[in-house]
Amino acid sequence: MATATQRGSTPFRLLDVDESEEEIKASPGVLNWLYIHNNDASAVHYIKLYDLTAANCTVGTSTPVMVIPVEASVQGVTLFFGEKDRGLNFANGICIAALTGVADADTTGAGTNEVVVSGGYW
């Protein structure tokens, strides 16, 4: 099996995704894949992706372009968005947050180290 770097994408990892926006890429890019782990035994967490840089993203105010629900105690789910020319395109930058509510205005974040995300982008 080819690794992310062999496919040409740049790998990243975030060990504590919560209500503070995390910048994956500060310029236009393409998201290739995500691996999401929800350590919370009792709550669904919503992974929100924003087509913004961290400087322009405000969780609870900015509108996410994608919301991914991850059930409690999920020991890892991998999402593959496609190769470089067919991945998930972001025109401005790629930011991510993990919240306990699905509403765009929600600002209640996951607890410390409850949501871990790895992935690859171009």
Side-chain angles (χ1 to χ4, degrees), residues 38-110:
N38 182 1
N39 288 314
D40 190 331
S42 61
V44 173
H45 289 298
Y46 297 90
I47 306 305
K48 298 184 182 186
L49 297 171
Y50 301 87
D51 186 0
L52 297 165
T53 62
N56 295 310
C57 184
T58 303
V59 174
T61 302
S62 300
T63 302
V65 296
M66 180 176 275
V67 178
I68 304 163
V70 182
E71 294 294 329
S73 296
V74 167
Q75 298 303 306
V77 60
T78 301
L79 303 171
F80 181 68
F81 299 111
E83 297 298 330
K84 188 171 185 177
D85 59 342
R86 293 183 307 267
L88 199 58
N89 291 296
F90 291 80
N92 302 294
I94 307 171
C95 276
I96 190 171
L99 298 129
T100 58
V102 69
D104 291 350
D106 188 78
T107 59
T108 306

Side-chain angles (χ1 to χ4, degrees), residues 23-39:
E23 189 171 75
I24 294 171
K25 190 167 191 296
S27 60
V30 178
L31 196 56
N32 176 230
W33 62 279
L34 287 177
Y35 174 82
I36 306 166
H37 183 93
N38 182 1
N39 288 314

